[in-house]
Amino acid sequence: MSFLSIAADVLWIIALSIMAGGARAAWRRMEPDTRVPMQGNWRLPRNTALILPVLLAFLFGLALLWGHRNAADLSYNVIFFGLRATLAAVIAMLHLQWLKGALATLEAEGALKR
């Protein structure tokens, strides 16, 4: 286990905690029967819509972790660190951008608690 692998793990943990914190804050503002906008007119129940993106990011992070653990050469370690660090930030930002848009839509519909 290299220092770069541990550093990438820390970045993924931070990204996932940001995503989970945002989802938890949104969860508290919604009624249990709220249908959250996902893409276009497609909507999912609150439970599924707020948990699924965090779960998928976690699984994607595990796949990258598996690839990083199998990297034997230093150059591969550096490449995987860069990939994992960049994708952790990008995925967290995409999640927050989606969450902001979904909450704005629900606010305009009057579906959020005060």
Side-chain angles (χ1 to χ4, degrees):
M1 185 177 319
S2 72
F3 171 74
L4 292 176
S5 178
I6 294 170
D9 290 344
V10 168
L11 293 174
W12 267 97
I13 291 167
I14 292 169
L16 288 171
S17 67
I18 289 169
M19 291 173 66
R24 183 173 183 230
W27 182 290
R28 290 179 175 172
R29 295 189 62 198
M30 296 178 199
E31 296 293 334
D33 60 339
T34 302
R35 298 193 57 84
V36 180
M38 297 302 284
Q39 186 76 355
N41 292 333
W42 183 46
R43 291 178 179 242
L44 288 175
R46 175 188 77 166
N47 298 346
T48 306
L50 295 178
I51 294 171
L52 188 63
V54 179
L55 180 64
L56 291 176
F58 175 74
L59 294 175
F60 185 66
L62 280 180
L64 290 173
L65 172 65
W66 177 78
H68 198 168
R69 295 282 191 242
N70 290 332
D73 193 10
L74 178 62
S75 61
Y76 288 119
N77 274 323
V78 171
I79 290 169
F80 266 105
F81 170 75
L83 180 67
R84 290 177 67 204
T86 303
L87 288 177
V90 168
I91 288 173
M93 290 302 297
L94 287 174
H95 179 261
L96 291 176
Q97 196 73 15
W98 162 76
L99 197 56
K100 179 182 173 185
L103 289 174
T105 301
L106 291 171
E107 179 73 37
E109 295 172 353
L112 294 180
K113 297 177 190 176
R114 291 278 173 197

